[in-house]
Amino acid sequence: MTGKDPKSIIDEGAMGRAQWLAVLVTVGLNALDGFDVLSISFASPGIARDWGIDQATLGWVLSMELFGMAAGSLLLGGVADKVGRRPTILGCLIAMAVGMFGAARVHGVADLLPWRLLTGLGIGGTLAAINAAAAELSNRRWRNFAMALMVIGYPLGGVFGGLIVQKLLASAGWRTVFVFGAAATAAFLPLVWWLVPESVAFLDRRRAAGALEQINRTLARFGHAAASTLSAPQPQGERHSLADIFKPALLATTVLVTFAYFAHITSFYFIVKWVPKIVVDMGFAPQAAAGVLTWVSLGGATGGALFGLIATRIGLRPLTVCTLLAGALMITGFGRGAPSLDSLKSTLAITGLFTNAAIAGFYLLFAQVYGARRRGAGADHGRLSPQRGPCRPERGTDHGRRLVARGGGAVGAPGARCRLSVTSPCRTG
């Protein structure tokens, strides 16, 4: 490897132990994000009971960090491209820990909302940074696998966090959920500091003073030979921005992808945000509600893994359409009720499997529909959708009819997905 440029050394070299450790930290960070997003769902029954708030107000409580996530993904993703992945992750972890700790000490909705917004900003920025970090820390052979591991971390955070939350809620109040989240987030600060160096690709691209020396320290840590020079500078081409995906050649594709993703993610977040409150309203204990949500996450982790395996043998378009239709049917089925807690768990585990599998399909769709230069803009555009899911509890509507309506709304997603095959200028599988 001696004498090669840094990018070639990482791409063509073997994955060392230090590289795998860094990738595993990104998996843990994504799991942490998954738990932090669901923490308000776990706490919501206790919040509603203690403060006596109605469902419309609770909808804002459940949604606030999703607004922050959308802003954090768009704004802090750009920061990660300017100052680096590692400092962005560290800064976002601090914001998340402060937000979680602050949420544990509030005594009203007006006090809680800013802390949840701050937590969401940190989550959104972390998600953007670890996507880039996981890819850039891996070699060409193992990059897709490393990215798949990182993605599965999100629902796994809900699974393991949910198991812990059940015990916390059985012996203490909802505030302990946020205290635990703050402690877990703070625990990742030294892990990132010691185990996740700045990516070689970022340092090579930025070409700051002393970049080669810093790159060679990281290469030595990963067990690679030193680079003799930086990669050749990329030619200055046309600047690309979010507006590119609204140009005539991509406008129809962007509209259809946005509608399909919006319809599906609205239903998905409605489920993961409102399930604990719905289960408590059905007469079950808060810790039992947390257990039901854990099964949603377990199904989601399974669905994402299975989708990745099956997608290598079946076309992406028919597989995504099938998972969207199955998810819509399962959401509708849940809205019609279940006779027992075990039946609820089974129904929601299967719902989580199909809905999360469909999200995996959309992520692959973004990569196929948009060219490499527009891929980031397309993905960032999609991140704006999640904030809508839990924020619209219809007044005067019971939970069952509301979920049936959500399931019906999700049916629009596969229709748009099928139409995409006709209008997309790119090959979509």
Side-chain angles (χ1 to χ4, degrees):
M1 293 295 179
T2 303
K4 288 194 174 183
D5 64 81
K7 185 177 184 301
S8 297
I9 292 173
I10 291 292
D11 282 349
E12 299 170 14
M15 284 282 287
R17 182 182 300 175
Q19 281 172 273
W20 281 117
L21 280 174
V23 169
L24 288 176
V25 172
T26 68
V27 177
L29 288 168
N30 208 19
L32 184 68
D33 287 347
F35 173 77
D36 285 355
V37 168
L38 293 181
S39 62
I40 192 67
S41 302
F42 292 129
S44 63
I47 291 174
R49 182 189 64 246
D50 290 355
W51 294 348
I53 59 178
D54 59 23
Q55 291 181 5
T57 304
L58 188 61
W60 284 103
V61 172
L62 292 170
S63 296
M64 191 52 59
E65 94 275 358
L66 299 180
F67 285 99
M69 284 174 62
S73 293
L74 291 172
L75 301 177
L76 298 180
V79 171
D81 288 333
K82 291 181 173 62
V83 305
R85 287 70 167 101
R86 185 170 181 264
T88 301
I89 292 171
L90 290 168
C92 289
L93 283 175
I94 293 172
M96 290 163 60
V98 171
M100 294 289 280
F101 182 74
R105 299 174 61 85
V106 298
H107 297 281
V109 172
D111 296 330
L112 177 60
L113 294 183
W115 294 117
R116 294 307 297 165
L117 182 65
L118 177 62
T119 303
L121 283 169
I123 293 171
T126 301
L127 288 171
I130 63 175
N131 270 280
E136 294 170 353
L137 289 165
S138 310
N139 65 10
R140 183 181 291 114
R141 177 185 177 187
W142 292 102
R143 188 163 293 144
N144 288 340
F145 179 71
M147 292 295 292
L149 279 180
M150 188 273 297
V151 169
I152 292 172
Y154 195 86
L156 287 179
V159 173
F160 292 111
L163 294 174
I164 295 171
V165 164
Q166 289 180 66
K167 298 183 181 301
L168 292 175
L169 292 177
S171 58
W174 57 266
R175 297 179 189 275
T176 58
V177 175
F178 297 120
V179 173
F180 169 74
T185 303
F188 267 88
L189 286 167
L191 292 178
V192 173
W193 182 269
W194 291 109
L195 298 178
V196 183
E198 186 54 76
S199 76
V200 167
F202 173 81
L203 295 171
D204 187 41
R205 185 172 62 252
R206 293 292 293 173
R207 310 176 75 85
L212 185 59
E213 290 77 10
Q214 189 174 354
I215 286 171
N216 282 332
R217 286 196 296 271
T218 301
L219 290 175
R221 177 177 178 175
F222 287 169
H224 299 304
S228 59
T229 183
L230 297 176
S231 303
Q234 295 294 319
Q236 292 292 328
E238 178 187 358
R239 293 181 63 86
H240 296 276
S241 68
L242 182 65
D244 288 352
I245 64 176
F246 295 102
K247 290 181 178 179
L250 284 172
L251 179 60
T253 298
T254 297
V255 170
L256 289 173
V257 169
T258 301
F259 170 75
Y261 186 72
F262 179 88
H264 180 67
I265 209 69
T266 297
S267 300
F268 173 78
Y269 271 108
F270 188 89
I271 286 288
V272 300
K273 289 295 185 179
W274 279 99
V275 156
K277 183 63 170 63
I278 292 172
V279 172
V280 168
D281 288 349
M282 294 171 68
F284 297 104
Q287 59 266 32
V292 172
L293 187 56
T294 300
W295 280 94
V296 177
S297 297
L298 182 61
T302 304
L306 289 176
F307 189 96
L309 292 174
I310 299 173
T312 62
R313 296 172 174 81
I314 300 177
L316 177 60
R317 182 171 60 252
L319 183 58
T320 306
V321 170
C322 288
T323 55
L324 285 167
L325 287 170
L329 290 174
M330 291 307 303
I331 293 171
T332 303
F334 174 59
R336 294 184 180 277
S340 67
L341 192 62
D342 288 339
S343 178
L344 274 176
K345 291 177 181 178
S346 300
T347 300
L348 284 168
I350 300 171
T351 302
L353 186 150
F354 285 118
T355 53
N356 204 62
I359 291 173
F362 275 113
Y363 285 163
L364 292 174
L365 172 66
F366 292 146
Q368 287 192 1
V369 169
Y370 299 106
R373 292 182 178 180
R374 296 183 177 93
R375 194 170 295 153
D380 281 344
H381 179 61
R383 289 187 191 114
L384 289 174
S385 298
Q387 65 191 33
R388 293 295 302 276
C391 194
R392 297 177 59 84
E394 294 85 347
R395 295 176 182 270
T397 304
D398 62 65
H399 291 310
R401 292 191 321 187
R402 188 183 308 158
L403 280 159
V404 170
R406 289 292 177 183
V411 172
R417 181 67 185 88
C418 291
R419 177 65 179 165
L420 178 64
S421 62
V422 179
T423 60
S424 173
C426 305
R427 186 175 181 271
T428 58

